[in-house]
mmCIF file of all heavy atoms in Angstrom:
data_model
loop_
_atom_site.group_PDB
_atom_site.id
_atom_site.type_symbol
_atom_site.label_atom_id
_atom_site.label_comp_id
_atom_site.label_asym_id
_atom_site.label_seq_id
_atom_site.Cartn_x
_atom_site.Cartn_y
_atom_site.Cartn_z
ATOM 1 N N LEU A 18 0.043 6.614 -10.897
ATOM 2 C CA LEU A 18 0.857 5.856 -9.969
ATOM 3 C C LEU A 18 0.696 6.500 -8.592
ATOM 4 O O LEU A 18 0.799 7.719 -8.467
ATOM 5 C CB LEU A 18 2.312 5.956 -10.430
ATOM 6 C CG LEU A 18 3.292 4.940 -9.898
ATOM 7 C CD1 LEU A 18 2.820 3.522 -10.182
ATOM 8 C CD2 LEU A 18 4.644 5.170 -10.565
ATOM 9 N N ALA A 19 0.429 5.693 -7.568
ATOM 10 C CA ALA A 19 0.291 6.253 -6.218
ATOM 11 C C ALA A 19 1.651 6.756 -5.738
ATOM 12 O O ALA A 19 2.681 6.138 -6.007
ATOM 13 C CB ALA A 19 -0.245 5.186 -5.273
ATOM 14 N N SER A 20 1.657 7.859 -5.030
ATOM 15 C CA SER A 20 2.907 8.396 -4.482
ATOM 16 C C SER A 20 3.316 7.532 -3.287
ATOM 17 O O SER A 20 2.481 6.817 -2.725
ATOM 18 C CB SER A 20 2.670 9.822 -3.991
ATOM 19 O OG SER A 20 1.845 9.783 -2.833
ATOM 20 N N PRO A 21 4.599 7.605 -2.878
ATOM 21 C CA PRO A 21 5.031 6.837 -1.707
ATOM 22 C C PRO A 21 4.146 7.096 -0.475
ATOM 23 O O PRO A 21 3.841 6.185 0.283
ATOM 24 C CB PRO A 21 6.462 7.319 -1.475
ATOM 25 C CG PRO A 21 6.938 7.706 -2.841
ATOM 26 C CD PRO A 21 5.724 8.272 -3.552
ATOM 27 N N GLU A 22 3.696 8.350 -0.299
ATOM 28 C CA GLU A 22 2.835 8.673 0.843
ATOM 29 C C GLU A 22 1.498 7.957 0.712
ATOM 30 O O GLU A 22 0.959 7.431 1.684
ATOM 31 C CB GLU A 22 2.578 10.190 0.928
ATOM 32 C CG GLU A 22 3.816 11.037 1.194
ATOM 33 C CD GLU A 22 4.748 11.147 -0.021
ATOM 34 O OE1 GLU A 22 4.255 11.154 -1.171
ATOM 35 O OE2 GLU A 22 5.974 11.206 0.188
ATOM 36 N N GLU A 23 0.960 7.967 -0.507
ATOM 37 C CA GLU A 23 -0.330 7.308 -0.736
ATOM 38 C C GLU A 23 -0.208 5.799 -0.537
ATOM 39 O O GLU A 23 -1.089 5.168 0.042
ATOM 40 C CB GLU A 23 -0.837 7.620 -2.153
ATOM 41 C CG GLU A 23 -1.293 9.062 -2.293
ATOM 42 C CD GLU A 23 -1.462 9.507 -3.746
ATOM 43 O OE1 GLU A 23 -0.767 8.994 -4.648
ATOM 44 O OE2 GLU A 23 -2.305 10.389 -3.977
ATOM 45 N N VAL A 24 0.900 5.229 -1.016
ATOM 46 C CA VAL A 24 1.121 3.786 -0.851
ATOM 47 C C VAL A 24 1.112 3.433 0.640
ATOM 48 O O VAL A 24 0.434 2.511 1.073
ATOM 49 C CB VAL A 24 2.466 3.359 -1.494
ATOM 50 C CG1 VAL A 24 2.832 1.932 -1.086
ATOM 51 C CG2 VAL A 24 2.376 3.468 -3.007
ATOM 52 N N GLN A 25 1.855 4.208 1.423
ATOM 53 C CA GLN A 25 1.950 3.967 2.862
ATOM 54 C C GLN A 25 0.572 4.089 3.519
ATOM 55 O O GLN A 25 0.176 3.263 4.339
ATOM 56 C CB GLN A 25 2.928 4.986 3.469
ATOM 57 C CG GLN A 25 3.195 4.793 4.947
ATOM 58 C CD GLN A 25 4.078 3.584 5.243
ATOM 59 O OE1 GLN A 25 5.221 3.531 4.828
ATOM 60 N NE2 GLN A 25 3.538 2.609 5.952
ATOM 61 N N ARG A 26 -0.176 5.126 3.120
ATOM 62 C CA ARG A 26 -1.474 5.383 3.742
ATOM 63 C C ARG A 26 -2.510 4.322 3.350
ATOM 64 O O ARG A 26 -3.294 3.860 4.168
ATOM 65 C CB ARG A 26 -1.961 6.777 3.317
ATOM 66 C CG ARG A 26 -3.247 7.239 3.983
ATOM 67 C CD ARG A 26 -3.516 8.696 3.659
ATOM 68 N NE ARG A 26 -3.286 8.959 2.231
ATOM 69 C CZ ARG A 26 -4.221 9.022 1.292
ATOM 70 N NH1 ARG A 26 -5.354 8.882 1.555
ATOM 71 N NH2 ARG A 26 -3.964 9.243 0.029
ATOM 72 N N ILE A 27 -2.507 3.926 2.068
ATOM 73 C CA ILE A 27 -3.539 3.011 1.567
ATOM 74 C C ILE A 27 -3.193 1.541 1.847
ATOM 75 O O ILE A 27 -4.028 0.780 2.314
ATOM 76 C CB ILE A 27 -3.747 3.224 0.050
ATOM 77 C CG1 ILE A 27 -4.289 4.642 -0.182
ATOM 78 C CG2 ILE A 27 -4.695 2.179 -0.534
ATOM 79 C CD1 ILE A 27 -4.191 5.107 -1.629
ATOM 80 N N ALA A 28 -1.941 1.161 1.546
ATOM 81 C CA ALA A 28 -1.566 -0.249 1.681
ATOM 82 C C ALA A 28 -0.975 -0.556 3.058
ATOM 83 O O ALA A 28 -1.073 -1.671 3.554
ATOM 84 C CB ALA A 28 -0.583 -0.646 0.587
ATOM 85 N N GLY A 29 -0.322 0.454 3.659
ATOM 86 C CA GLY A 29 0.268 0.251 4.976
ATOM 87 C C GLY A 29 1.725 -0.157 4.949
ATOM 88 O O GLY A 29 2.315 -0.440 5.983
ATOM 89 N N TYR A 30 2.304 -0.197 3.748
ATOM 90 C CA TYR A 30 3.709 -0.607 3.607
ATOM 91 C C TYR A 30 4.473 0.468 2.855
ATOM 92 O O TYR A 30 3.893 1.221 2.085
ATOM 93 C CB TYR A 30 3.814 -1.913 2.810
ATOM 94 C CG TYR A 30 3.135 -3.074 3.481
ATOM 95 C CD1 TYR A 30 1.819 -3.391 3.179
ATOM 96 C CD2 TYR A 30 3.805 -3.856 4.419
ATOM 97 C CE1 TYR A 30 1.175 -4.459 3.801
ATOM 98 C CE2 TYR A 30 3.173 -4.926 5.048
ATOM 99 C CZ TYR A 30 1.863 -5.225 4.737
ATOM 100 O OH TYR A 30 1.241 -6.265 5.353
ATOM 101 N N PRO A 31 5.812 0.483 3.017
ATOM 102 C CA PRO A 31 6.612 1.403 2.215
ATOM 103 C C PRO A 31 6.540 1.024 0.739
ATOM 104 O O PRO A 31 6.481 -0.162 0.406
ATOM 105 C CB PRO A 31 8.031 1.237 2.756
ATOM 106 C CG PRO A 31 8.025 0.037 3.630
ATOM 107 C CD PRO A 31 6.617 -0.305 3.963
ATOM 108 N N ALA A 32 6.526 2.018 -0.135
ATOM 109 C CA ALA A 32 6.528 1.754 -1.579
ATOM 110 C C ALA A 32 7.755 0.922 -1.894
ATOM 111 O O ALA A 32 8.830 1.146 -1.343
ATOM 112 C CB ALA A 32 6.568 3.064 -2.352
ATOM 113 N N GLY A 33 7.612 -0.063 -2.759
ATOM 114 C CA GLY A 33 8.754 -0.903 -3.097
ATOM 115 C C GLY A 33 8.791 -2.169 -2.254
ATOM 116 O O GLY A 33 9.509 -3.097 -2.574
ATOM 117 N N ALA A 34 8.003 -2.208 -1.173
ATOM 118 C CA ALA A 34 7.992 -3.409 -0.337
ATOM 119 C C ALA A 34 6.570 -3.970 -0.212
ATOM 120 O O ALA A 34 6.309 -4.808 0.632
ATOM 121 C CB ALA A 34 8.550 -3.091 1.049
ATOM 122 N N ILE A 35 5.658 -3.459 -1.043
ATOM 123 C CA ILE A 35 4.260 -3.889 -0.922
ATOM 124 C C ILE A 35 4.132 -5.374 -1.202
ATOM 125 O O ILE A 35 4.540 -5.836 -2.259
ATOM 126 C CB ILE A 35 3.352 -3.177 -1.953
ATOM 127 C CG1 ILE A 35 3.501 -1.670 -1.921
ATOM 128 C CG2 ILE A 35 1.885 -3.538 -1.727
ATOM 129 C CD1 ILE A 35 2.523 -0.981 -2.841
ATOM 130 N N PRO A 36 3.546 -6.112 -0.272
ATOM 131 C CA PRO A 36 3.244 -7.509 -0.576
ATOM 132 C C PRO A 36 1.982 -7.571 -1.447
ATOM 133 O O PRO A 36 1.273 -6.568 -1.555
ATOM 134 C CB PRO A 36 2.981 -8.116 0.809
ATOM 135 C CG PRO A 36 2.574 -6.973 1.680
ATOM 136 C CD PRO A 36 3.149 -5.735 1.082
ATOM 137 N N PRO A 37 1.696 -8.720 -2.049
ATOM 138 C CA PRO A 37 0.523 -8.813 -2.920
ATOM 139 C C PRO A 37 -0.799 -8.853 -2.153
ATOM 140 O O PRO A 37 -1.856 -8.663 -2.727
ATOM 141 C CB PRO A 37 0.734 -10.127 -3.676
ATOM 142 C CG PRO A 37 1.798 -10.863 -2.953
ATOM 143 C CD PRO A 37 2.567 -9.896 -2.118
ATOM 144 N N PHE A 38 -0.724 -9.099 -0.838
ATOM 145 C CA PHE A 38 -1.935 -9.136 -0.004
ATOM 146 C C PHE A 38 -1.565 -8.700 1.401
ATOM 147 O O PHE A 38 -0.439 -8.277 1.633
ATOM 148 C CB PHE A 38 -2.554 -10.542 0.004
ATOM 149 C CG PHE A 38 -1.550 -11.638 0.182
ATOM 150 C CD1 PHE A 38 -0.926 -11.866 1.400
ATOM 151 C CD2 PHE A 38 -1.182 -12.430 -0.902
ATOM 152 C CE1 PHE A 38 0.025 -12.866 1.558
ATOM 153 C CE2 PHE A 38 -0.231 -13.441 -0.758
ATOM 154 C CZ PHE A 38 0.370 -13.655 0.478
ATOM 155 N N ALA A 39 -2.519 -8.802 2.351
ATOM 156 C CA ALA A 39 -2.292 -8.393 3.750
ATOM 157 C C ALA A 39 -2.109 -6.883 3.864
ATOM 158 O O ALA A 39 -1.261 -6.399 4.592
ATOM 159 C CB ALA A 39 -1.076 -9.122 4.356
ATOM 160 N N HIS A 40 -2.910 -6.151 3.113
ATOM 161 C CA HIS A 40 -2.817 -4.691 3.148
ATOM 162 C C HIS A 40 -3.709 -4.125 4.244
ATOM 163 O O HIS A 40 -4.571 -4.815 4.774
ATOM 164 C CB HIS A 40 -3.229 -4.108 1.795
ATOM 165 C CG HIS A 40 -2.502 -4.713 0.642
ATOM 166 N ND1 HIS A 40 -3.133 -5.423 -0.343
ATOM 167 C CD2 HIS A 40 -1.183 -4.765 0.358
ATOM 168 C CE1 HIS A 40 -2.230 -5.871 -1.202
ATOM 169 N NE2 HIS A 40 -1.045 -5.494 -0.797
ATOM 170 N N LEU A 41 -3.505 -2.853 4.506
ATOM 171 C CA LEU A 41 -4.287 -2.123 5.495
ATOM 172 C C LEU A 41 -5.759 -2.128 5.080
ATOM 173 O O LEU A 41 -6.650 -2.330 5.897
ATOM 174 C CB LEU A 41 -3.756 -0.686 5.535
ATOM 175 C CG LEU A 41 -3.955 0.124 6.788
ATOM 176 C CD1 LEU A 41 -3.518 -0.646 8.009
ATOM 177 C CD2 LEU A 41 -3.183 1.426 6.675
ATOM 178 N N ASN A 42 -6.003 -1.851 3.823
ATOM 179 C CA ASN A 42 -7.362 -1.884 3.281
ATOM 180 C C ASN A 42 -7.402 -2.970 2.227
ATOM 181 O O ASN A 42 -6.401 -3.242 1.584
ATOM 182 C CB ASN A 42 -7.703 -0.552 2.614
ATOM 183 C CG ASN A 42 -7.565 0.599 3.583
ATOM 184 O OD1 ASN A 42 -8.329 0.711 4.521
ATOM 185 N ND2 ASN A 42 -6.567 1.446 3.374
ATOM 186 N N SER A 43 -8.553 -3.577 2.043
ATOM 187 C CA SER A 43 -8.593 -4.609 1.019
ATOM 188 C C SER A 43 -8.566 -3.910 -0.345
ATOM 189 O O SER A 43 -9.265 -2.919 -0.556
ATOM 190 C CB SER A 43 -9.825 -5.483 1.262
ATOM 191 O OG SER A 43 -10.620 -5.520 0.137
ATOM 192 N N LEU A 44 -7.689 -4.366 -1.223
ATOM 193 C CA LEU A 44 -7.453 -3.669 -2.495
ATOM 194 C C LEU A 44 -7.939 -4.484 -3.687
ATOM 195 O O LEU A 44 -7.714 -5.694 -3.749
ATOM 196 C CB LEU A 44 -5.950 -3.408 -2.681
ATOM 197 C CG LEU A 44 -5.285 -2.487 -1.659
ATOM 198 C CD1 LEU A 44 -3.777 -2.476 -1.866
ATOM 199 C CD2 LEU A 44 -5.840 -1.076 -1.764
ATOM 200 N N THR A 45 -8.563 -3.813 -4.626
ATOM 201 C CA THR A 45 -8.884 -4.436 -5.906
ATOM 202 C C THR A 45 -7.551 -4.785 -6.561
ATOM 203 O O THR A 45 -6.666 -3.927 -6.629
ATOM 204 C CB THR A 45 -9.630 -3.436 -6.808
ATOM 205 O OG1 THR A 45 -10.814 -3.035 -6.120
ATOM 206 C CG2 THR A 45 -9.989 -4.065 -8.144
#
């Protein structure tokens, strides 16, 4: 499981609020 810091760094959103798309990096 990604840590809250990793979530923020990779997806660009706070953990728990990640949308399914529109991330900082395109995610598999």
